[in-house]
Amino acid sequence: MTAPGLAIGAPCDTPFSNNEPSFRKAEMDAIDQLRTRYLHEIAEAPDETAVETLRVEALGKKGEISLKMRELGKMTPEERQVAGPALNALKSELTSALVARKSALEDAALSERLKDEWLDVTRPPRPQARGTIHPISQVTEEITAIFADLGYSVAEGPQIESDHYNFDALNIPPEHPARQEHDTFYMHRDTGDNRPPHVLRTHTSPVQIRYMETHGVPCRVIAPGRVYRADYDQTHTPMFHQCEGLAIDKDISMANLKWTLEEFCKTFFDIDGIELRFRASHFPFTEPSAEVDIRCSWSGGQLKIGEGDDWMEILGSGMVHPKVLEAAGVDPSQWQGFAFGMGIDRLAMLKYGIPDLRAFFDSDLRWLRHYGFAALDMPTLHGGISR
């Protein structure tokens, strides 16, 4: 048998015998030359880029080894038995050499880097920035904790309210100033839609109507949440927070209201000798109505709660008007109760000495770090409401 078309050497008429055919010797010599050259170049490669270049030259789609392996298809079966295993062995050997050289270069680069970069693990770590709990969120939790201890649950309602729940059901007449556009944010209605427009709720009082309609009476609930009014100055903002309180039963009186508010103020301000003053007032949804003042002093320009000869208004209250009970589906001849409303923002200002209400919504990180609370400063009666 002859071996036509040999790539190396002259045509061979000698049959394959004695494990030393001329084709095998020539092919193995060529493969050995490739092995020697590439192993030397890989060992001398100065960086990872040079290693990658050698990999492409030898094993890439158009690399020398890859081109030789494509020639296997043109060989006879006997020639492939010689060249195929040798080329596969060469490919594996070069692949291992490339990986080893790349790893050695990476290790050397890391060693050089570690000579220049080092870290003293005994030094204290950099301080990590920590967020704080906003005073509004904190005071809301404080109020909730106090009233929960008094047996009140928390109720919620929508911030976009209908005209019925925000005004009519609370016995607020059409001519009342609160229903004017200079005081209330009204939602848009399309031309020809004559329904009363929805509003951004001006108080959390609508929640008491919704709660009584859904759950009935007796009940004791508070309703903290956002409210909206068209006002903006040092003590007013277009959006602020309010907490509504409601207690309905058959034998509730103003005395119960007075005791409830006194207990709340004593706990909230952490002052045993707190003194409240009830002044007759008028609210459409309560009768009789009373504004509540707290004793305080302004000695030296500093506000002190629970002492002195001055008074400061902190909330409004009264006995729920019979028309409000009727609007909620409750028989006023059988049930009665009290309601009160307090500004959460205002209470936060009084307790923690915050002078300007507008700063609550400025998103000033310096202000938040100063007046904010740590995440673990959770208000509890057994742990203390005050920080």
Side-chain angles (χ1 to χ4, degrees):
M1 177 181 290
T2 61
L6 289 178
I8 300 176
C12 180
D13 296 326
T14 305
F16 290 91
S17 61
N18 301 323
N19 295 326
E20 291 292 333
S22 60
F23 168 81
R24 178 168 184 169
K25 184 176 185 304
E27 187 66 20
M28 294 305 293
D29 287 344
I31 291 175
D32 287 340
Q33 290 175 5
L34 288 175
R35 177 185 291 106
T36 302
R37 176 162 63 87
Y38 275 112
L39 288 178
H40 174 73
E41 292 180 358
I42 291 172
E44 297 297 325
D47 52 41
E48 293 183 43
T49 302
V51 173
E52 178 62 17
T53 301
L54 289 171
R55 185 195 69 80
V56 174
E57 290 178 358
L59 304 176
K61 289 184 178 180
K62 297 182 180 180
E64 288 189 73
I65 310 302
S66 300
L67 292 177
K68 277 192 168 294
M69 296 191 75
R70 291 180 188 176
E71 295 176 357
L72 292 174
K74 301 177 182 180
M75 298 180 184
T76 64
E78 292 80 3
E79 293 171 342
R80 283 197 295 272
Q81 288 179 359
V82 174
L87 288 174
N88 284 328
L90 175 59
K91 182 178 179 181
S92 297
E93 188 175 357
L94 294 183
T95 299
S96 299
L98 288 167
V99 171
R101 182 57 179 167
K102 183 178 179 180
S103 178
L105 290 171
E106 290 176 347
D107 291 343
L110 179 59
S111 297
E112 289 297 322
R113 181 180 174 185
L114 292 176
K115 290 179 181 178
D116 299 327
E117 298 180 11
W118 58 277
L119 176 65
D120 184 358
V121 295
T122 64
R123 295 184 61 186
R126 294 188 182 97
Q128 292 185 343
R130 294 182 179 179
T132 56
I133 304 297
H134 197 283
I136 294 298
S137 300
Q138 181 75 9
V139 171
T140 301
E141 292 297 323
E142 292 180 11
I143 293 172
T144 302
I146 295 170
F147 280 105
D149 189 63
L150 295 175
Y152 286 71
S153 58
V154 176
E156 296 181 339
Q159 297 181 41
I160 298 178
E161 269 293 6
S162 67
D163 186 75
H164 168 73
Y165 283 107
N166 199 77
F167 296 122
D168 293 339
L170 293 169
N171 196 37
I172 299 177
E175 67 277 5
H176 195 278
R179 303 185 76 150
Q180 304 304 311
E181 290 189 358
H182 62 75
D183 195 63
T184 299
F185 293 105
Y186 284 90
M187 309 300 289
H188 173 73
R189 286 287 191 195
D190 291 334
T191 303
D193 189 343
N194 297 321
R195 293 176 300 168
H198 282 24
V199 301
L200 295 179
R201 66 182 182 187
T202 58
H203 43 194
T204 52
S205 300
V207 178
Q208 64 175 267
I209 304 296
R210 291 181 176 274
Y211 187 88
M212 287 189 287
E213 285 181 343
T214 304
H215 301 280
V217 290
C219 64
R220 277 186 290 180
V221 295
I222 59 170
R226 295 187 183 95
V227 296
Y228 306 85
R229 294 181 191 175
D231 204 353
Y232 188 70
D233 57 35
Q234 186 174 355
T235 57
H236 300 85
T237 55
M239 187 275 290
F240 56 101
H241 301 80
Q242 193 178 70
C243 182
E244 180 85 7
L246 175 71
I248 302 294
D249 212 320
K250 292 188 174 181
D251 298 312
I252 289 182
S253 67
M254 285 288 290
N256 302 121
L257 170 63
K258 184 174 184 295
W259 178 88
T260 299
L261 296 179
E262 286 178 346
E263 289 299 309
F264 165 76
C265 290
K266 288 178 183 178
T267 308
F268 181 77
F269 291 107
D270 198 19
I271 299 174
D272 291 331
I274 208 81
E275 186 176 352
L276 300 181
R277 181 178 68 178
F278 286 70
R279 290 184 290 107
S281 185
H282 171 72
F283 303 114
F285 31 81
T286 54
E287 181 60 37
S289 303
E291 291 184 349
V292 181
D293 302 333
I294 191 169
R295 183 179 290 279
C296 65
S297 71
W298 293 95
S299 177
Q302 182 179 4
L303 175 64
K304 294 183 179 180
I305 301 295
E307 60 182 62
D309 299 323
D310 293 325
W311 297 90
M312 174 180 291
E313 177 192 344
I314 57 170
L315 58 90
S317 63
M319 300 299 291
V320 179
H321 199 289
K323 291 186 177 180
V324 174
L325 294 175
E326 290 177 352
V330 177
D331 185 358
S333 65
Q334 298 292 324
W335 303 92
Q336 63 187 26
F338 61 76
F340 56 85
M342 60 184 71
I344 297 176
D345 317 62
R346 184 172 178 80
L347 290 176
M349 293 173 68
L350 293 177
K351 182 172 182 177
Y352 297 114
I354 303 172
D356 194 328
L357 180 61
R358 293 169 292 190
F360 280 99
F361 312 106
D362 285 343
S363 298
D364 187 333
L365 290 178
R366 297 168 301 175
W367 186 92
L368 290 172
R369 293 189 189 104
H370 179 74
Y371 288 107
F373 293 78
L376 297 179
D377 288 341
M378 297 301 293
T380 58
L381 291 176
H382 60 272
I385 292 297
S386 302
R387 58 175 173 177

